[in-house]
């Protein structure tokens, strides 16, 4: 009831403010009154807090609401007033005898939670919510029912502009060269280009996802598509609170995840710990037709079954100590331990020129993987005042150890049984990374802001790749020196940046420049280099780059604005793209790095439009990107055969000359009623590539699109139902065409025990249709394939919250990890 009264009060205040002064009023002129409203104990800004000016007769003379930063700017007639501050579920505050006879800046107001009203709070919409900043869009996905029991990788697939393919590769607006940050920083939790860790973390750990398509100079220049910043949960309310989440699913999976938070006025201790067991059965079919007339068996059919079992433990423990009212020191540690057992069974049928079966072989690859990731971080934050003047310093140390061991058994079953040599492949990867960062923000006047900073990122990765081949008939193994090698890769990046922003009436801008110095070193130790095709084994490269950024916003009115962004980005080749020694997922398919790869550079432009109605929010943008020396994976016939005569196909990354991309996207959030919430987005893009390699033209053009829609219905008895649908249209590159993919997820939930608990059930990929079907065509072979990473799954979860209700209706969900710059 109280929340309803507060909303009505805000509405009446706005209507009153909109009315002109009555005839005969003693008002001579209006003055501008400014201020800020914050949450007591956390200093977080409260958006949509009501501010009212009440005269001696008890009449509301003027009023307004706070913006996303908790600030207000209200025209008030001269006079003496009681200023009243209201916000849902917070205690009301009044400032008496405030004389307004000039432009006035009132002191900061701190509202305190009203525990007696929490049970009456209106629960906010639990589908994806969007907030707009100068350089990014912020999506709260933590309350999406379909992510219950899912992983971070699964949850990202529900974020507009983002797609996650069947192998877990993440793309932004159709471009896979996206930089992934955790809490605004590079992290072992999410390595660039590798999403394995994101498949192991529970989705419940996410507070929000920031989609940064036009990054400001504060962010890394890495990632030509842009940046995804995943902000993990950290409770901001006082006291001891937390939740426990358990889930059980089929194909067999089970997990438990708990988060506990203890916050006082002096410190904040937070911990998230979870264990997960997950089976991921998948399958694939490959049909390869070789065009050379000299092939004895020109048609090869491969059928693969994947039986993957993952066991993962993760824990994040930290303490934030408030040194003073304006400064704090945060120390945190993260550990992730994984143990996987993967069995891949590959059945290969070869057919002769007369389409008769000539030979059948079975290849079984049992792979075990042990991962250990450790991360220690320190953060110092000093807020010199409440206007945004602050200094932050960060230090982060990470170490990860990954050991993969694969026993590969192969034998012929037709026309007669015959064992082939066994192969043991071991990969040991050790990575160490240091990060140091300093950021300084200085407000200038009322609307301007200056910012400068430094970031150093120093990484070393040592990969020890060993292949042992069986001497047939003896049971003994010998080292294959033509494939075994040790690759030592170092990447050091030092960056300086500065940016300046200002606001003039309805117009805001943010102009920045980032300088990055990159050093790449690689050293190979190997006994035999015959398989490297005369590629350089060792390299030492240095390059310096300037990366300007510009973001503009024009507010047509309080609910409508136009944005324009420009930024220059870089794509550095990663270590697995540079290692010249081949690795292989099967005997006939190898991947070989190219140490001659140069970095790719891209210039990107983004024009956006936002319009809010009472029940609808519309976001649209047109974007254009031009990239030089872009990476492309090409496939070619090496001319070599496996011991049983199968042609070996090599995949190699190369620099193509240009990659041009233009697109349009739109998103709609529509809440026609309290019981119905709709969310949809659409993205259409076209890209073209020009370039050649070894005399072959790899130029290609492609127009594709993807769309998603979500509907959430609140039923009686506190039951919610949600349906998510996603479709990605057909795509193609220089050699491969892929068909469209449709996926539908459904979920339902029910609140129990006075909303202290929730039970949820969801089905991922309802129609078992999330399969990648593609066709690759070259001058020497044609390959058609169908791949499914994981079959349709069912999941049942139970969540229990202690001293923690479902999320209160709040404005900006900011936090200490919000790595954002000037907002305008």
């Amino acid at each position: 009831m109280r929340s309803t009264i507060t909303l009505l009060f805000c509405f009446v205040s706005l209507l009153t403010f909109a009315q002109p002064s009555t005839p005969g009023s003693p008002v001579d002129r209006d003055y501008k009154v400014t201020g800020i409203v914050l949450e007591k104990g956390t200093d977080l800004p409260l958006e949509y807090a009501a501010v009212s000016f009440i005269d001696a007769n008890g009449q509301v003379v003027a009023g307004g609401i706070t913006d996303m930063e908790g600030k207000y700017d209200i025209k008030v007639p001269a006079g003496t007033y009681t200023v009243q501050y209201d916000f849902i579920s917070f205690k009301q505050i009044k400032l008496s005898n405030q004389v307004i006879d000039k432009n006035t800046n009132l002191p900061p107001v701190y509202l305190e939670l009203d525990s007696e009203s929490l049970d009456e709070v209106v629960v906010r919409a639990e589908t994806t919510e969007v907030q707009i900043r100068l350089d990014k869009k912020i999506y709260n996905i933590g309350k999406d029912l379909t992510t219950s029991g899912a992983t971070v990788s699964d949850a990202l697939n529900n974020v507009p502009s983002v797609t996650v393919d069947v192998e877990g590769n993440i793309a932004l607006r159709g471009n896979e060269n996206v930089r992934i940050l955790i809490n605004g920083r590079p992290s072992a939790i999410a390595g660039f280009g590798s999403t394995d860790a994101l498949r192991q973390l529970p989705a419940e750990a996410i507070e929000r996802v920031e989609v940064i398509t036009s990054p400001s100079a504060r962010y890394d220049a890495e990632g030509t598509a842009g940046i995804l910043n995943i902000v993990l949960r950290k409770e901001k309310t006082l006291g001891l609170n937390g939740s426990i989440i358990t889930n059980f699913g089929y194909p067999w999976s089970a997990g438990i995840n708990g988060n506990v938070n203890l916050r006082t006025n002096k410190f904040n201790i937070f911990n998230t710990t979870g264990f997960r067991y997950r089976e991921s059965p998948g399958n694939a079919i490959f049909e390869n037709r070789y065009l050379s007339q000299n092939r004895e068996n020109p048609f090869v059919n491969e059928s693969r079954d994947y039986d993957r079992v993952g066991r993962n433990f993760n824990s994040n423990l930290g303490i934030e100590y408030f040194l003073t009212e304006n400064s704090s020191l945060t120390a945190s540690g993260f550990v992730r331990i994984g143990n996987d057992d993967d069995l891949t069974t590959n059945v290969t049928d070869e057919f002769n020129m007369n389409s008769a079966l000539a030979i059948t072989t079975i290849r079984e690859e049992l792979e075990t993987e042990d991962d250990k990731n450790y991360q220690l971080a320190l953060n110092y934050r000093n807020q010199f005042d409440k206007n945004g003047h602050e200094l932050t310093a960060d230090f982060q140390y990470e170490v990860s150890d990954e050991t993969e061991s694969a026993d590969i058994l192969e034998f012929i079953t037709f026309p007669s049984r015959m064992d082939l040599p066994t192969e043991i492949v071991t990969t040991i990867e050790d990575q160490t990374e240091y990060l140091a960062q300093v950021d300084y923000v200085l407000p200038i006047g009322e609307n301007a802001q200056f910012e400068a900073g430094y970031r150093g990122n120093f990484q070393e990765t040592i990969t020890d790749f060993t292949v042992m081949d069986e001497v047939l008939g003896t049971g003994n193994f010998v080292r294959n020196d033509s494939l075994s090698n040790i690759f030592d890769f170092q990447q050091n990046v030092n960056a300086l940046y500065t940016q300046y922003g200002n606001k003039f009436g309805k117009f805001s801008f943010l102009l920045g420049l980032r300088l990055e110095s990159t050093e790449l070193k690689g050293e190979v130790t190997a006994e035999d280099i015959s398989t490297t095709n005369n590629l350089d084994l060792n390299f030492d490269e240095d390059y310096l780059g300037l990366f300007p950024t510009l973001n503009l916003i024009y507010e047509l009115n309080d609910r409508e604005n136009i944005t324009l962004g420009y930024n220059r980005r870089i794509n550095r080749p990663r270590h697995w793209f540079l290692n010249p020694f081949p690795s292989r997922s099967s005997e006939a398919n190898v991947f070989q790095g190219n140490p001659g790869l140069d970095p790719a550079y891209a210039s990107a432009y983004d024009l956006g439009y936002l319009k809010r109605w009472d029940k609808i929010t519309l976001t649209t943008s047109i974007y254009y990107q031009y990239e030089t020396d872009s990476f492309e994976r090409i496939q070619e016939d090496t001319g070599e055969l496996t011991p049983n005569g199968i042609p070996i196909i090599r995949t190699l990354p190369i620099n193509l000359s240009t990659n041009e991309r233009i697109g349009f996207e739109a998103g709609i959030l529509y809440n026609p009623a309290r019981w119905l919430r709709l969310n949809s987005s659409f993205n259409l893009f076209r890209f073209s590539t020009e370039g050649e390699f070894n005399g072959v033209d790899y130029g290609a053009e492609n127009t594709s699109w993807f769309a998603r829609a979500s509907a959430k219905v609140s039923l009686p008895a506190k039951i919610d139902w949600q349906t998510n649908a996603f479709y990605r249209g057909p795509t193609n590159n220089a050699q491969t065409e892929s068909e469209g993919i449709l996926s539908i997820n459904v979920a339902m939930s029910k609140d129990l025990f006075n909303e202290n608990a929730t039970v949820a059930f969801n089905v991922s990929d309802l129609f078992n249709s999330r399969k990648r079907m593609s066709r690759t065509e070259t001058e020497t072979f044609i390959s058609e394939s169908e791949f499914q990473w994981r079959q349709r799954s069912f999941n049942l979860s139970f969540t229990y919250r202690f001293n923690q209700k479902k999320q209160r209706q709040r404005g900006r969900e900011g936090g200490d990890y919000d790595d954002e710059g000037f907002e305008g």
Side-chain angles (χ1 to χ4, degrees):
M1 182 64 184
R2 177 169 178 171
S3 60
T4 304
I5 293 175
T6 304
L7 288 175
L8 289 175
F9 181 80
C10 295
F11 182 68
V12 172
S13 298
L14 289 175
L15 289 180
T16 305
F17 174 59
Q19 300 300 319
S21 299
T22 57
S25 170
V27 175
D28 295 324
R29 59 167 296 182
D30 292 343
Y31 293 100
K32 182 170 71 171
V33 179
T34 58
I36 188 171
V37 181
L38 305 169
E39 178 180 355
K40 185 177 181 180
T42 67
D43 292 346
L44 292 175
L46 293 177
E47 185 184 1
Y48 300 122
V51 183
S52 306
F53 292 81
I54 304 173
D55 63 15
N57 298 321
Q59 299 296 316
V60 177
V61 175
I65 58 175
T66 56
D67 62 14
M68 286 184 269
E69 297 178 344
K71 297 178 181 179
Y72 59 89
D73 184 341
I74 303 172
K75 293 290 186 180
V76 182
T80 301
Y81 301 97
T82 296
V83 186
Q84 181 173 302
Y85 299 87
D86 292 89
F87 190 69
I88 295 174
S89 77
F90 283 70
K91 294 180 180 179
Q92 185 185 86
I93 283 185
K94 294 182 180 181
L95 302 180
S96 303
N97 299 320
Q98 299 297 311
V99 179
I100 307 299
D101 56 5
K102 60 182 178 180
N103 291 341
T104 303
N105 182 35
L106 294 177
V109 172
Y110 297 86
L111 297 185
E112 183 180 1
L113 277 170
D114 185 355
S115 59
E116 295 180 357
S117 68
L118 288 180
D119 289 338
E120 300 175 1
V121 172
V122 178
V123 178
R124 70 182 178 184
E126 292 183 342
T127 52
T128 301
E129 297 175 341
V130 61
Q131 300 174 31
I132 306 298
R133 299 289 190 267
L134 249 176
D135 57 350
K136 62 190 171 188
K137 298 173 184 175
I138 301 174
Y139 296 94
N140 169 34
I141 63 173
K143 292 298 176 180
D144 195 318
L145 299 182
T146 60
T147 65
S148 178
T151 66
V152 170
S153 183
D154 297 328
L156 288 176
N157 208 36
N158 290 336
V159 176
S161 304
V162 180
T163 55
V164 183
D165 68 15
V166 292
E167 293 178 293
N169 299 312
I170 298 171
L172 181 59
R173 291 174 168 175
N175 188 346
E176 292 185 3
N177 185 227
V178 55
R179 179 68 155 168
I180 300 176
L181 304 178
I182 303 294
N183 296 333
R185 300 164 184 83
S187 174
I189 303 176
F192 188 92
S194 175
T195 59
D196 290 343
L198 298 182
R199 291 179 182 173
Q200 299 169 7
L201 289 178
E204 290 83 0
I206 301 178
E207 178 177 304
R208 66 182 183 273
V209 174
E210 299 175 348
V211 179
I212 310 172
T213 53
S214 183
S216 66
R218 168 182 278 224
Y219 294 99
D220 287 343
E222 183 89 61
T224 56
I227 295 172
L228 290 179
N229 182 28
I230 301 172
V231 180
L232 303 181
R233 291 187 181 279
K234 189 174 69 171
E235 186 62 32
K236 309 173 186 66
T237 54
L238 296 176
L240 176 66
N241 54 76
S243 64
I244 298 176
I245 304 171
T246 60
N247 66 81
F248 177 80
Y250 181 83
W252 303 118
S253 67
I256 182 169
N257 188 76
N259 68 82
V260 179
N261 201 97
L262 175 61
R263 188 178 188 117
T264 70
N265 290 324
K266 199 61 180 176
F267 63 84
N268 180 33
I269 299 176
F270 51 94
N271 173 250
T272 300
T273 299
F275 175 79
R276 183 181 188 87
Y277 173 89
R278 182 181 173 99
E279 295 182 5
S280 300
N283 57 82
I285 298 175
F286 300 86
E287 294 183 354
N288 302 321
R289 185 175 299 277
Y290 299 93
L291 305 180
S292 173
Q293 298 297 321
N294 297 326
R295 300 291 186 190
E296 181 179 353
N297 300 320
F299 181 70
V300 178
N301 187 316
E302 294 185 42
S303 176
R304 295 182 193 172
D305 287 320
Y306 303 94
D307 293 303
R308 296 179 292 265
V309 177
R311 308 168 193 86
N312 303 283
F313 169 83
N314 66 85
S315 183
N316 183 37
L317 174 64
I319 179 171
E320 179 181 15
Y321 184 75
F322 304 103
L323 302 172
T324 67
E325 288 187 2
N326 300 323
S327 63
S328 66
L329 180 66
T330 302
S332 63
F334 173 80
V335 58
R336 179 174 62 85
I337 300 175
N339 175 258
D340 297 344
D341 294 322
D342 301 341
L343 174 62
T344 302
T345 303
N346 192 93
V347 179
T348 302
D349 293 322
E350 298 182 42
F351 296 86
N352 60 28
M353 301 292 293
N354 298 320
S355 299
L357 180 62
I359 187 173
T360 296
T361 60
I362 297 179
R363 177 185 174 93
E364 294 182 348
E365 180 175 347
L366 177 60
E367 180 181 288
T368 60
E369 179 177 337
D370 293 313
D371 297 326
K372 296 181 179 65
N373 296 90
Y374 306 96
Q375 175 181 295
L376 297 175
L378 288 174
N379 168 264
Y380 171 75
R381 183 182 186 185
N382 189 357
Q383 296 176 289
F384 299 102
D385 56 37
K386 299 298 183 181
N387 297 320
H389 185 198
E390 70 174 18
L391 172 71
T392 59
D394 297 275
F395 175 77
Q396 189 169 283
Y397 169 73
E398 300 176 5
V399 60
S400 62
D401 302 310
E402 178 181 297
T403 301
E404 295 181 3
S405 181
D407 293 346
I408 303 173
L409 307 176
E410 192 167 10
F411 47 91
I412 297 174
T413 60
F414 181 85
S416 60
R417 169 82 186 201
M418 182 175 67
D419 292 336
L420 298 175
T422 298
E423 184 177 87
I424 300 176
V425 179
T426 303
T427 303
I428 301 175
E429 184 174 286
D430 298 323
Q431 180 172 304
T432 305
E433 186 169 358
Y434 298 88
L435 181 142
Q437 178 176 332
V438 178
D439 297 289
Y440 176 71
V441 180
L442 175 65
I444 303 175
E446 185 176 348
N447 295 319
Q449 180 171 292
F450 169 80
E451 185 175 351
Y454 161 81
R455 174 179 286 181
N457 199 1
F458 313 99
Q459 175 185 328
E460 181 179 21
T461 303
I462 300 176
T463 305
D464 188 342
F465 183 74
T466 305
V467 178
M468 302 291 291
D469 292 331
E470 180 188 14
V471 180
L472 192 61
T474 67
N476 298 322
F477 288 83
V478 296
R479 176 186 169 99
N480 186 334
D481 291 330
S482 64
L483 294 176
S484 302
N485 69 94
I486 298 176
F487 183 51
D488 188 340
F489 173 78
Q490 298 179 42
Q491 176 178 283
N492 300 322
V493 181
N494 288 279
L496 293 170
Y497 81 92
T498 183
Q499 58 187 17
Y500 173 77
N502 208 336
K503 181 177 182 180
F504 302 96
K506 296 184 177 182
F507 175 76
S508 304
F509 75 88
L510 179 60
L511 176 65
L513 182 65
R514 189 178 185 90
L515 172 69
E516 289 194 351
S517 172
T518 303
E519 179 184 30
L520 295 180
K521 290 183 179 181
E523 181 178 342
V524 175
T525 303
E527 298 292 336
D528 183 358
I529 62 172
S530 60
T531 59
T532 61
N533 297 311
N534 298 319
L535 294 174
D536 293 332
L537 298 186
N538 302 326
F539 56 88
D540 189 346
E541 301 288 343
D542 294 280
Y543 40 89
L544 193 68
L546 280 174
F547 303 92
T549 64
L550 176 63
N551 288 286
L552 310 171
I553 184 169
Y554 182 75
E555 300 174 8
L556 299 174
N557 53 59
D558 291 342
R559 295 189 169 192
E560 191 174 14
N561 64 54
I562 298 174
T563 59
L564 176 64
Y566 163 78
N567 63 94
R568 186 170 187 257
R569 311 288 294 166
I570 186 174
N571 181 13
R572 301 181 183 91
R574 310 309 291 178
H575 67 276
W576 55 84
F577 265 31
L578 297 173
N579 190 347
F581 271 78
S583 60
R584 58 202 195 191
S585 58
S586 71
E587 195 175 26
N589 293 278
V590 301
F591 177 88
Q592 185 170 10
N594 179 6
L597 274 181
D598 294 321
Y601 294 91
S603 293
Y605 304 83
D606 191 291
L607 177 63
Y609 171 75
L610 166 71
K611 173 69 173 177
R612 299 181 190 271
W613 292 271
D614 290 339
K615 297 182 179 181
I616 301 177
T617 299
L618 170 67
T619 60
T620 63
S621 65
I622 299 173
Y623 55 91
Y624 172 78
Q625 182 185 88
Y626 184 81
E627 183 176 352
T628 59
D629 289 329
S630 59
F631 302 159
E632 183 77 27
R633 295 181 181 93
I634 60 100
Q635 290 181 303
E636 58 183 8
D637 191 340
T638 62
E640 301 176 358
L641 303 176
T642 65
N644 54 330
I646 300 177
I648 298 176
I649 304 299
R650 179 179 71 160
T651 300
L652 182 76
I654 63 172
N655 288 113
L656 289 180
S657 58
T658 63
N659 187 327
E660 192 174 28
R661 184 182 298 265
I662 187 171
F664 167 80
E665 68 176 357
I668 296 178
L669 297 175
Y670 179 39
N671 298 337
R674 288 189 59 184
W675 57 270
L676 177 62
R677 292 170 288 277
L678 305 175
N679 173 17
S680 64
S681 62
F682 173 80
N683 196 306
L684 172 68
F685 58 90
R686 178 185 182 276
F687 73 85
S688 59
T689 299
E690 295 179 359
E692 67 174 35
F693 181 74
N694 287 342
V696 179
D697 184 6
Y698 290 98
E701 293 185 357
N702 176 46
T703 298
S704 187
W705 60 279
F706 61 87
R708 55 169 46 87
S710 174
K712 185 166 183 293
V713 179
S714 296
L715 303 172
K718 295 184 178 180
I719 297 176
D720 290 327
W721 176 274
Q722 183 173 328
T723 301
N724 288 359
F726 173 80
Y727 180 77
R728 187 179 68 187
T731 62
N732 70 273
N733 58 23
Q735 294 180 316
T736 303
E737 296 180 355
S738 299
E739 298 183 13
I741 298 177
L742 172 67
S743 178
I744 295 178
N745 301 336
V746 296
M748 66 178 299
S749 73
K750 176 174 173 54
D751 292 333
L752 304 170
F753 311 134
N754 195 26
E755 294 188 354
N756 286 314
T758 302
V759 60
F761 176 75
N762 67 65
V763 182
S764 178
D765 194 11
L766 179 64
F767 299 113
N768 205 36
S769 57
R770 197 171 186 206
K771 302 177 182 180
R772 184 189 65 198
M773 290 178 283
S774 60
R775 174 185 173 91
T776 299
E777 186 169 348
T778 70
E779 293 183 353
T780 57
F781 70 91
I782 298 174
S783 177
E784 296 184 355
S785 65
E786 176 180 302
F787 178 78
Q788 183 178 32
W789 175 261
R790 193 170 192 259
Q791 300 171 7
R792 172 179 50 215
S793 61
F794 305 85
N795 187 81
L796 178 67
S797 68
F798 178 78
T799 303
Y800 182 78
R801 296 171 285 272
F802 54 93
N803 298 332
Q804 184 185 75
K805 292 291 184 181
K806 296 179 73 174
Q807 291 288 334
R808 296 181 301 275
Q809 180 164 319
R810 292 282 300 274
R812 174 175 171 233
E813 292 284 333
D816 296 334
Y817 291 134
D818 195 2
D819 190 14
E820 65 187 41
F822 178 76
E823 295 181 0

